[in-house]
Structures are given as structure tokens and as C-alpha cells.
Amino acid sequence: MPKDHEAFQQAIYSFLEEGATDGLRRSLQEVHPADIAEMFPVLSLAQRVKLLRIMDPEQASLVLFELDREMLPPLIESLGFNRTADILDAMSTDDAADLLGNLPGGIKQKLLDLMETQEAEDVAELLEYAEDTAGGIMTTEFVAIHQDITAERAIQLLREIAPDAETVYYVYVVNRQAQLVGVISLRELILAAPAMLIEEIMRRKVISVNVNTDQEEVAKLVAKYDFLAVPVVNDNNELLGIITVDDVLDVIEEEATEDMMRMAANIDVDEQGPDAGVLRRASRRLPWLIGLLFGELIAGHVIEGFSGTLQNMTALAFFMTALAGGTGNAATQSLTVVVRGIATGEVNPRQVFKVVWGEAQVGLFIGLTSGLVLAGLALLWQDSLSLGLVVGASLALSITLSTILGSLVPVIINRFGIDPALASGPFIATLMDVTSMFIYFSLATLILVR
Amino acid sequence: MPKDHEAFQQAIYSFLEEGATDGLRRSLQEVHPADIAEMFPVLSLAQRVKLLRIMDPEQASLVLFELDREMLPPLIESLGFNRTADILDAMSTDDAADLLGNLPGGIKQKLLDLMETQEAEDVAELLEYAEDTAGGIMTTEFVAIHQDITAERAIQLLREIAPDAETVYYVYVVNRQAQLVGVISLRELILAAPAMLIEEIMRRKVISVNVNTDQEEVAKLVAKYDFLAVPVVNDNNELLGIITVDDVLDVIEEEATEDMMRMAANIDVDEQGPDAGVLRRASRRLPWLIGLLFGELIAGHVIEGFSGTLQNMTALAFFMTALAGGTGNAATQSLTVVVRGIATGEVNPRQVFKVVWGEAQVGLFIGLTSGLVLAGLALLWQDSLSLGLVVGASLALSITLSTILGSLVPVIINRFGIDPALASGPFIATLMDVTSMFIYFSLATLILVR
């Protein structure tokens, strides 16, 4: 019944308009926090504040975390710092750290000062870790028990401490030095005989990640092994926190967005949201556009070098965009297949030769076919066999080359530890514009102009 | 300690080379199935078969499921249908259905005939659902209890049935008609007083999905609400299965790949893996390349229409690729921001005007700046103020237009229920090549040639 929530959203909206606080309170209890957060973009600031005041801190914390970060500073000012600090106290530490980390320094410090001491300390500690590392996405609320207690005692302990822990689906086992020594799933704990010792039933092989591991690596690990959560340790194997699968879902979506933005459009994902200012969005896109413009001018220089040939036969100009465009498209196809293949693990970047040779064969086939088509069209349109030959041969050669470059460049830069998505489509397309113009006018000069 | 598995992989490889079966068996027990599957691409067919024979069916099933689908038919032939059927019996029903669904019809039927009757029936039922729906990714192995038993009895029941269920983190509650009426998490069940009735502690509001819901919708739902699993029901609200978060991770990665392939390269993701044949890969890419080639020829026609202008001033040709390229790049940036924004929910496609107006403003700023730069360069290079003016003004106008088109097209086709990623970069870039050439030569004819 996923459509139910729309009816409740409508009800909340009506109650807000009427100022009916009781109805509002009742209907808010019926709706998932994610659905309440979904309404915020269309509400006024006063309405947003009203909702956050009526909800209890627990619910408000879940809603607040879901909101677009750019919406927060004015909202917090209107809501008041004291109320916001209460809401943050109710939030899990990793979410609170994530939220605070995205706020201006002044607001962040003021809120930390107003929060409960223990919670504020935990959050401040999490804020020390780089945002895109395991430390930056882990939570410190996890369940750890000692290895020398019984299964029955462990379940009893869970009853006492569980409400504070983000997930109890895995229970981690530590020794007296707080080092991670084992893991047991809640399911295994329940299925075990009550008198068994934890160290008899725990699994001793625990896959963990270091606190400084890149978040993309963590996401790959969780996806590969189908984990619900993964423990985070320091260099001394002391258990510091856990990362749960819901945070990993966010990371995977974030990384796919980043790849797509870099590869297709040469821009970083940050600050392109509809709520960011026009100037900021434009200034993030400009540098590459201008840089590529200079690249394209090299193609212009190549053409100018052959201006004698062009003057003799202006019909050459009619096929320039077809050549440059077709070559760019073929390059982008190869690039996308290889870059995405590396990201999902389907393409092994160590097998450079295999990858490039495969794409080269595909390119040769595509190039010959497309070249034949374009040659035929040029012949029909301009009634010149030699022009058709030049146009077709240029396209065939350029496309073959473009699939080789489109697969070689990402594989090579991946070897140097650079994100292959940075070998973006526009970059390769510009490179191929220069190359294809050189091939085209060279062939034309050789064959057409004697 | 994520690096441990590489040492074990190395050991397995050595044992395989030496033919040391005992060592092989021992080291296989130390390695996660995902790590064993990771080795398969570099092993010979005989080595692959040997590994699958040595492992017990349970472990072999986990490995087999992780393998590239194109690798399977010859492997199954060599392994034997009986052994493969045993392995499939040990697999969870959703994984078995997913695997069988990707095999040729003959092999699929033979294996179903050899599998255990109950398992084969369950799998055959799952195979009826379309691959990209909730039914296609759900498992039928879940835990459901009746509402009128106690918490204590429920935990007892779980002890008995749990080993067969893929996840017991949520326990679903059904009435006598098998209709879904509530849910309780394993955590809540443990924390509850043993004598409480399930209907007293269960949550009655269960978010479920219909069996025919698109898998992308399911993934969005699970990600939005941070679920570990979501129940699947038919139109009569009868519980049919569950979808777990690990399957959703796969869907999110699959959909991101599909979006990227469609948007950047106009190709569907299927059959572009390195193990697919060259001809098949090429034939999937060709249609669009050829189609776009015809599109580019329209640009050629526009240029031919202005051949008088071009003959008078061949210098115009030097800036053609810069104009076409720069416009295409700006269009791709807008397109990527909007398409990805729609996919992640950051851009609301209903607010057409807001989205397009925002991009238009960005485009105007980018266009004017880039235009100014190119005008300056044209002036320096060709020493002609009027040429610089034409080149700069054309770029400014084309870029502004390209950001409008790049944002408008995906928003509009999304309205018609078409995947916005199909408004791909190459398509928009080709459209803009035609438009920018028209603007360029029109302005040139107006200003330069009198």
C-alpha cells in the first residue's frame, strides 16, 4: 500500500493551512518520517518550523536528517538552537555528525555546545574523520559483548542495551582490550542453546574495515559479501563503530551520481542541486567548458593548416560535423562500457590488452560499417566517388581509433590510481575531434587535391 | 582485514595447479564464496569444474550464483546436470530463479526436471514473474506467523523454521486467509515480554509492494525508508514473498549502470560485457551511431545551404568544431544534472518551469562567458572583429539554448512515462550540432557577407 502516504501528506497539508494542531499531531503519527521530509520543499519556512515543533524529538530527528542540507541554516535559526540541539540528541551519532558536518562552522559549534555532553563528545569525535571514509559514515552505537558470557546472559544484556543501539542484527564480540575477536548474528544467538558460551558459538573470522578506508571500498565490500553491517576498527583492531547497509545504499547512489557527473559532464556532483545559486552552479561548470573550448581550437588549427585544401573544395565542410560527431559518439560508447565495467567489477582493468583489443575489434566492425554508410551518402549527395571514399575512410579510421582511445585511457588512468570516470566523454570527444579532423583533411589532401 | 582473502585465493590456485585435493578442500572452507567466484574468470574450465565438485552443494550454490551468466552454459555441461540440480536445490529460490531465467530454455527445463519437486515448483512459480518486477526479485523463503500466538511461542517457532528462511530480521504476521496484517522485528520480539500476544506487539501498518511493481520502484522504497526487507503481496493482500536489502543493492547498481549506458552512450547495458562476442557488442551499438550520423548530415545540409557564405570566408570553418563541441558539452552537463537529479529524487520533474528556468539562467551565464572567451580568441587568431563577434555571439546563443533543451527534454519525456536517461547526451548533442550550425551561418551571413 505505498500510496497511502500521499493521502496522509494531503491531510497534513490541510491541517497546516487550517492551523488545526490536534489533527496535525494525530496525522503526523501515521506517516513515516521520510514521507514528512518529502513534503518540506513545498512548505513555507513557518510551516516547516511548526511541524518540527509539534513532533517529538525522536520523530523530528528522523525528518531533519532526511532534509536537503541547503535548507537547514535558515530552518535552524527559526526553530531555535535549543530545540535543534534537543532534536540532535535524539539522532543517532553518525547521522548527527553527518548533518553537523554540512553546517557552517558557527552554527555547528553552537549546537555542539547545547547538546548533551556524552552525545556531543561522540559526535565531535566522529566529525574528526574525513567525510568519505569508514570513520565518516560509521555509527558509534553498536552492540558488543564479551566472549566469556553465556548465550542466555547475552540475550538478557541485549534486552537492556538494545534500545540505544542502531542495529542488533550482528552482535560483536570483544576481548578485555576492546579488540574485535568475533561476531554472532542475532539469529544464531537465538538459535543457540542458552547455556553455551559466546566464544563457543561465535564466528572468529570477522571481516572488518579500517576507520580510514574509503567509503567506496566499504560499499563494495558490503555489496560483495551481502552484509547487513560491517564493523570498523583502528590499526590496533579495537572496535570503534559499525556501518549499516542503509548508509551503504546512500554511498552507492552517491558514488554512481559522482561517476555519472564526472564521466558525462566533467563536473563534480556538489552544488548542482536546484537550490544552489545560479552563479555557483555556472562557475562549477565553466572551467572545463572553457578548457575544452581551447582543445576544440586545436581542431580549428588543424583545419586552418589545410585551408588550401578546403578552399579548393568547400564540400569537405559539409561532412565535418558528421565526422566529428560520429567519432565522438563511438568514443563515448566505448568509454562508458569500460568505465562502468570497472566500477561494477565486470571489466578487470589489469587485463589492459584484453579490454582494449576487444574494443578495437568492435570499433573496426562499427567503423567499417558506418564508414560504408557515410561513403554511400556522400556519393549520393555530392556525386563524387573520391569524396565518398575520403569521407568513408576517414570515419572508419577515426571510429576504430576512438574505441581504442575510449577504452585505453580509462584503463591506464585507473592504473595510476585516478578515478577512470575522469576520462570523461567530453574530454575524449574533444581529443577525437582534433584527431578526426587531421585524418579527414590529410586523406582529402592526398586523394582529392593533386 | 579485507586483504586476507587474497592469500587464500593464492593458496587455492597453487593447490589447483598441484592437484592437491585435501589442501584445496581445507582452504576452500576459509574463503567467502564471493572470493571464490572472483577467481573463476582466470581459471580453466577443468579447474572451475573441479572446484564446484569439491565444495559441498551449499557453498557451491553461493559461488555459482555470483558467476557471470555468460560463463554458465559450458560450465553446467561439464559439471553435469545432476550435480548442477543438486547445487540449485541448495540455493535460495529467488537466486535459483534468477540464475535459471538467464539460461537457454533447454538447459533450464532439464535442470528443473532434475531438481527436488518442491524446490522446482517454487522456482518455476517465480520464473513466471517478469524479471524486473517485485515478483522477479523476491524470495519465497520468509518467516510468517499467526497473530494469535505468544511472543515466546513465536521465538520457539523461529528456532524450528529459521534455517530455511532467508531472513528472520522481520517476522511477518498473517491472518487465516494468508493476508498480511502486521510485522514485528526480531529485535522487538526478543525485547517483548514472553507472554504477550503477537497482535498486541505487532505493528499494523506494514508497507508492502505489489508483486507487479517495477524493481526500480521497490529499490527507491527500500532506500527511502531504510528497510532491511519489504514484503510482497498480490492484489488480494496475500503475502507471496519478501525482497531483502542485498537484492536491492544489486538493483540500484543495475539501474545506475542502465542509466549511465543509456544516457552517455545510447546503448543498453545487456551484452556489452567483455565475454560477449564482438559482433553482438558491435551490432548493439551500431543502430544509434548510424541514426545519429543521419542527424549530423542535417547539420551538413545546413552548412551546404550556406555554401556561398562559406566560400566567401573559409575562416568560418576553423571554428565549426569549437562551436559544435562547446555546445554539445554544455548540453550534456545540463542533461546529466537533470537526469541524475530525477533518478535520485533531488529534481522534481513536476516543476518543469523551475528546473528549466534555473538551467536557462546557468546557461546564459556560461554562454556569455564562453562566448566572450571565444570571441577574444577569434579576434586574436584571425584579426577580424566582426568574425570574433559572430563566433562569440553564436556560441553564447547556442549554449543558452542547449542548457534549455538539455533540461527540458528529459523533464518532458519523463512526463510521458519514458525513462529520462533515453534523452541521451549523443542525441541532444546531435540536435545542438544542427542548431548551432544554423545559428552560426545565419549570423555570419547577416553580419559578414553583405
Side-chain angles (χ1 to χ4, degrees):
Chain A
M1 301 152 284
K3 287 298 168 210
D4 264 12
H5 71 268
E6 286 176 13
F8 279 111
Q9 286 177 336
Q10 203 49 56
I12 289 173
Y13 199 72
S14 307
F15 286 133
L16 267 177
E17 296 282 293
E18 296 162 17
T21 311
D22 281 351
L24 204 53
R25 194 168 281 132
R26 262 199 321 279
S27 47
L28 279 173
Q29 283 161 2
E30 302 291 325
V31 192
H32 193 284
D35 292 319
I36 301 175
E38 210 177 60
M39 300 177 62
F40 269 59
V42 296
L43 300 179
S44 69
L45 183 58
Q47 289 174 324
R48 292 171 187 178
V49 170
K50 180 160 192 185
L51 282 185
L52 287 174
R53 286 232 175 94
I54 286 183
M55 287 182 261
D56 62 76
E58 179 78 29
Q59 192 180 21
S61 78
L62 294 168
V63 173
L64 204 68
F65 181 69
E66 296 284 332
L67 298 180
D68 198 346
R69 297 295 180 256
E70 281 152 9
M71 199 189 281
L72 292 181
L75 187 56
I76 291 173
E77 298 272 358
S78 305
L79 188 61
F81 287 96
N82 278 311
R83 174 74 182 159
T84 308
D86 288 346
I87 295 176
L88 287 172
D89 282 333
M91 203 177 277
S92 69
T93 53
D94 60 332
D95 289 354
D98 187 73
L99 195 148
L100 283 170
N102 281 289
L103 290 177
I107 300 184
K108 182 171 75 180
Q109 199 46 57
K110 229 185 240 175
L111 288 171
L112 277 173
D113 291 343
L114 288 168
M115 285 169 66
E116 283 167 22
T117 321
Q118 183 57 50
E119 179 88 4
E121 267 172 26
D122 286 353
V123 170
E125 206 174 294
L126 286 180
L127 279 168
E128 307 263 304
Y129 300 109
E131 212 184 332
D132 55 352
T133 63
I137 55 172
M138 74 180 182
T139 176
T140 52
E141 286 150 297
F142 57 87
V143 178
I145 54 176
H146 285 292
Q147 62 200 98
D148 47 13
I149 62 172
T150 63
E152 192 175 17
R153 173 81 189 121
I155 292 179
Q156 221 173 53
L157 277 174
L158 287 189
R159 282 224 177 86
E160 289 162 27
I161 60 177
D164 248 22
E166 189 171 289
T167 170
V168 290
Y169 302 114
Y170 296 121
V171 180
Y172 297 101
V173 186
V174 291
N175 62 18
R176 297 288 159 190
Q177 287 80 47
Q179 286 170 319
L180 182 66
V181 293
V183 66
I184 180 165
S185 73
L186 185 53
R187 173 175 160 176
E188 287 163 335
L189 198 57
I190 293 173
L191 300 180
M196 293 274 275
L197 285 180
I198 293 299
E199 61 185 346
E200 292 174 297
I201 47 178
M202 73 182 189
R203 270 172 292 165
R204 286 170 195 280
K205 210 170 0 241
V206 195
I207 294 178
S208 61
V209 293
N210 187 280
V211 69
N212 294 315
T213 308
D214 187 87
Q215 65 171 1
E216 197 169 0
E217 291 304 311
V218 178
K220 274 188 185 168
L221 191 86
V222 171
K224 177 177 168 185
Y225 295 118
D226 285 344
F227 288 146
L228 291 177
V230 65
V232 182
V233 297
N234 62 14
D235 293 337
N236 200 22
N237 200 33
E238 287 160 352
L239 185 58
L240 301 181
I242 61 168
I243 294 167
T244 51
V245 70
D246 55 307
D247 296 319
V248 168
L249 276 180
D250 297 340
V251 171
I252 287 182
E253 206 157 86
E254 199 182 307
E255 297 284 343
T257 301
E258 192 180 289
D259 272 13
M260 215 177 282
M261 293 286 205
R262 284 184 173 174
M263 195 177 63
N266 265 133
I267 39 180
D268 264 320
V269 59
D270 293 343
E271 310 185 354
Q272 290 297 336
D275 290 329
V278 167
L279 271 188
R280 201 156 58 165
R281 283 156 74 194
S283 64
R284 298 282 153 150
R285 300 190 203 174
L286 258 175
W288 262 98
L289 281 183
I290 303 276
L292 291 172
L293 216 49
F294 277 88
E296 293 287 359
L297 284 179
I298 302 178
H301 259 294
V302 169
I303 301 167
E304 194 186 27
F306 291 99
S307 58
T309 306
L310 186 61
Q311 223 138 22
N312 270 329
M313 197 163 188
T314 44
L316 285 172
F318 311 155
F319 298 99
M320 276 170 54
T321 56
L323 258 168
T327 311
N329 290 338
T332 309
Q333 288 186 338
S334 282
L335 182 77
T336 310
V337 168
V338 172
V339 168
R340 191 61 193 161
I342 292 176
T344 60
E346 214 188 338
V347 166
N348 182 351
R350 291 188 197 171
Q351 298 174 294
V352 182
F353 183 76
K354 190 187 162 196
V355 174
V356 176
W357 174 233
E359 281 299 311
Q361 285 173 289
V362 173
L364 191 65
F365 184 84
I366 289 178
L368 287 176
T369 317
S370 309
L372 217 61
V373 171
L374 193 58
L377 290 169
L379 179 63
L380 276 175
W381 187 12
Q382 295 292 328
D383 205 18
S384 155
L385 182 63
S386 49
L387 179 63
L389 198 72
V390 166
V391 170
S394 303
L395 187 65
L397 203 58
S398 302
I399 284 188
T400 311
L401 212 65
S402 72
T403 55
I404 295 176
L405 271 178
S407 51
L408 190 63
V409 174
V411 171
I412 285 182
I413 70 170
N414 180 69
R415 279 248 173 154
F416 287 99
I418 303 170
D419 180 356
L422 282 174
S424 64
F427 170 70
I428 300 276
T430 302
L431 192 64
M432 283 314 302
D433 278 354
V434 178
T435 317
S436 64
M437 285 305 110
F438 182 78
I439 292 174
Y440 182 41
F441 281 98
S442 298
L443 282 182
T445 309
L446 271 173
I447 296 173
L448 296 177
V449 188
R450 307 219 182 221
Chain B
M1 301 153 280
K3 286 299 168 212
D4 263 14
H5 71 267
E6 284 176 14
F8 280 111
Q9 286 178 335
Q10 202 49 53
I12 291 173
Y13 199 74
S14 305
F15 286 133
L16 268 176
E17 296 282 293
E18 296 162 16
T21 311
D22 281 349
L24 205 51
R25 191 169 285 128
R26 263 201 319 278
S27 47
L28 280 174
Q29 282 161 4
E30 302 291 325
V31 192
H32 193 283
D35 291 319
I36 301 175
E38 209 177 59
M39 300 177 64
F40 269 59
V42 297
L43 300 178
S44 71
L45 183 57
Q47 289 174 325
R48 293 171 186 177
V49 170
K50 182 161 190 185
L51 282 186
L52 287 174
R53 287 231 174 95
I54 286 184
M55 287 182 262
D56 61 77
E58 178 79 30
Q59 190 179 22
S61 78
L62 294 168
V63 172
L64 203 68
F65 180 70
E66 296 283 333
L67 297 180
D68 198 347
R69 298 294 180 257
E70 281 152 7
M71 199 189 279
L72 292 181
L75 186 57
I76 291 172
E77 298 274 357
S78 303
L79 188 62
F81 287 96
N82 279 311
R83 172 75 182 158
T84 309
D86 288 346
I87 294 176
L88 287 173
D89 283 333
M91 203 176 278
S92 69
T93 53
D94 61 331
D95 289 354
D98 186 74
L99 195 148
L100 283 169
N102 281 289
L103 291 176
I107 300 185
K108 181 170 75 180
Q109 198 48 57
K110 229 185 239 174
L111 288 171
L112 276 173
D113 291 344
L114 288 168
M115 284 169 67
E116 284 168 20
T117 321
Q118 182 58 49
E119 178 90 3
E121 268 172 26
D122 286 352
V123 170
E125 207 175 293
L126 285 180
L127 279 169
E128 307 262 304
Y129 300 108
E131 213 185 329
D132 55 353
T133 63
I137 56 172
M138 73 181 184
T139 177
T140 52
E141 286 151 296
F142 56 89
V143 178
I145 55 175
H146 285 291
Q147 62 201 96
D148 47 14
I149 62 173
T150 63
E152 191 174 19
R153 173 81 189 121
I155 292 179
Q156 218 170 56
L157 276 174
L158 288 189
R159 282 222 176 88
E160 290 163 26
I161 61 176
D164 249 21
E166 189 171 290
T167 170
V168 290
Y169 302 114
Y170 297 120
V171 181
Y172 298 100
V173 186
V174 292
N175 62 17
R176 298 287 159 192
Q177 287 79 50
Q179 285 170 320
L180 181 65
V181 292
V183 66
I184 180 166
S185 72
L186 185 53
R187 174 176 159 176
E188 288 163 335
L189 198 57
I190 293 174
L191 300 182
M196 294 273 274
L197 285 181
I198 293 299
E199 60 186 346
E200 293 174 299
I201 46 178
M202 74 183 188
R203 269 171 290 166
R204 287 169 195 280
K205 206 162 8 229
V206 196
I207 294 177
S208 61
V209 295
N210 187 282
V211 69
N212 294 315
T213 308
D214 186 89
Q215 66 172 1
E216 198 170 357
E217 291 303 311
V218 178
K220 273 187 187 168
L221 192 85
V222 171
K224 177 178 168 186
Y225 295 119
D226 285 344
F227 288 147
L228 289 176
V230 65
V232 182
V233 297
N234 62 13
D235 294 336
N236 201 20
N237 200 31
E238 286 161 352
L239 185 59
L240 301 180
I242 62 169
I243 295 167
T244 50
V245 68
D246 55 309
D247 297 319
V248 168
L249 276 181
D250 297 340
V251 170
I252 286 182
E253 204 156 87
E254 201 181 308
E255 297 284 344
T257 301
E258 194 180 290
D259 271 12
M260 215 178 282
M261 293 287 204
R262 284 184 173 173
M263 194 178 64
N266 265 134
I267 39 178
D268 264 321
V269 57
D270 293 343
E271 309 184 356
Q272 290 297 337
D275 289 327
V278 167
L279 272 187
R280 202 157 56 166
R281 281 157 73 194
S283 64
R284 297 282 153 150
R285 300 191 202 173
L286 257 175
W288 261 100
L289 280 183
I290 303 277
L292 290 172
L293 215 49
F294 278 86
E296 293 285 0
L297 283 179
I298 302 178
H301 259 294
V302 169
I303 300 167
E304 194 186 28
F306 290 99
S307 57
T309 305
L310 187 60
Q311 225 139 21
N312 271 329
M313 198 163 185
T314 45
L316 284 173
F318 310 155
F319 299 99
M320 277 169 55
T321 56
L323 256 168
T327 311
N329 290 338
T332 309
Q333 288 186 338
S334 281
L335 181 78
T336 310
V337 169
V338 173
V339 169
R340 190 61 194 161
I342 292 176
T344 59
E346 213 189 339
V347 167
N348 183 351
R350 290 188 199 170
Q351 298 174 293
V352 183
F353 183 75
K354 190 187 162 197
V355 174
V356 176
W357 174 233
E359 282 299 311
Q361 287 173 288
V362 174
L364 192 64
F365 184 84
I366 288 179
L368 287 176
T369 316
S370 309
L372 217 61
V373 170
L374 194 57
L377 290 170
L379 179 63
L380 275 175
W381 187 12
Q382 294 293 328
D383 204 17
S384 155
L385 182 63
S386 49
L387 179 64
L389 198 70
V390 166
V391 169
S394 304
L395 186 66
L397 202 58
S398 302
I399 283 188
T400 311
L401 211 66
S402 73
T403 55
I404 295 176
L405 271 178
S407 52
L408 191 62
V409 175
V411 171
I412 286 183
I413 70 171
N414 180 69
R415 278 247 172 153
F416 287 99
I418 303 170
D419 180 357
L422 282 174
S424 63
F427 171 68
I428 300 276
T430 303
L431 193 65
M432 282 314 303
D433 277 354
V434 178
T435 317
S436 63
M437 287 304 110
F438 183 77
I439 292 173
Y440 181 41
F441 281 100
S442 299
L443 281 182
T445 309
L446 271 173
I447 295 174
L448 296 178
V449 189
R450 307 226 180 213

